[in-house]
Amino acid sequence: MPETRKGLVLVYTGPGKGKTTAALGVGLRAVGQGLKVLMVQFIKGSWHYGELDAARMLGDDKFRILPMGRGFVKVGVEKPDAEDVRRVEEAWQFASEQLLSGEYDLVILDEINYAISYKMLEPEKVLAALRRKPEMVHVILTGRNAHPALTEFADLVTEMREVKHPYQHGILAQRGIDY
Ligand code: ATP
Ligand code: MG
């Protein structure tokens, strides 16, 4: 008999929209299957995201979302801001503890790829934790520019490709769609 249950490592990356929302969709599906879900957001957005309230409606014991970043991180600068790095390290400390504890069935590391690509977190640390995680725990890593060592290790990698985005026509972020 083939083993039917397996903890998976999923990566949602690429420049198109849909990475975080795909992870939230899996989270919703998992809650419906009685799994406990944790999402740690490494980079906090500038709006109050609908998913924070939606997860609370499901219950903190079922779907917990923790925004741990500082909002917008300066991009294009050589060296990341020390305060941003500190926040990312704190988020990683917490997320890796939760991942290794087996307390949650699905752990979503939102925008962790972004934190790694901006050199705020070493990919080796993440890889080491993924190797040591309890077998049955599922993990999702989101964000652009996923590190090759992580996509290599992952069971599933999906790249969002931008075909069209309303932003190109000057249409700004919409409530319920973007935040
Ligand atoms: P979402 O959270 O909507 O699934 P995402 O996680 O794929 O988006 P991020 O890189 O986290 O994308 O970007 C966050 C914000 O930027 C979202 O509000 C999203 O709508 C917007 N965004 C995503 N992709 C694009 C794009 N290609 N052009 C313009 N804005 C985008
Ligand atoms: Mg995102």
Side-chain angles (χ1 to χ4, degrees), residues 71-160:
F72 267 111
V73 168
K74 283 186 218 109
V75 295
V77 288
E78 270 300 301
K79 213 166 161 286
D81 188 273
E83 175 60 15
D84 290 330
V85 176
R86 200 190 62 74
R87 297 264 183 145
V88 166
E89 278 169 356
E90 206 175 275
W92 172 247
Q93 177 70 26
F94 175 78
S96 56
E97 270 171 28
Q98 297 302 314
L99 173 61
L100 297 174
S101 75
E103 170 73 16
Y104 293 92
D105 303 294
L106 168 62
V107 176
I108 302 167
L109 305 170
D110 189 45
E111 304 301 341
I112 195 169
N113 296 332
Y114 182 92
I116 293 167
S117 81
Y118 277 95
K119 308 253 187 289
M120 295 188 280
L121 177 63
E122 292 162 19
E124 294 78 17
K125 284 189 186 170
V126 179
L127 199 57
L130 292 176
R131 289 190 202 282
R132 283 173 51 217
K133 75 168 178 63
E135 173 60 30
M136 289 314 303
V137 174
H138 300 293
V139 184
I140 305 179
L141 302 95
T142 85
R144 295 170 188 221
N145 304 319
H147 194 278
L150 295 172
T151 54
E152 164 80 29
F153 183 80
D155 298 289
L156 177 146
V157 180
T158 297
E159 229 176 63
M160 274 53 177

Side-chain angles (χ1 to χ4, degrees), residues 18-21 43 49 110-111 142-144:
K19 300 171 289 292
T20 298
T21 45
I43 312 289
Y49 287 85
D110 189 45
E111 304 301 341
T142 85
R144 295 170 188 221

Side-chain angles (χ1 to χ4, degrees), residues 14-22 24 47 49 51 110-111 114 142-144 160 162 164-165 167-168 173 177-179:
K17 173 175 159 65
K19 300 171 289 292
T20 298
T21 45
L24 287 166
W47 286 287
Y49 287 85
E51 55 263 38
D110 189 45
E111 304 301 341
Y114 182 92
T142 85
R144 295 170 188 221
M160 274 53 177
E162 183 180 296
K164 251 190 202 180
H165 195 290
Y167 189 75
Q168 297 162 338
I177 300 292
D178 293 295
Y179 64 95

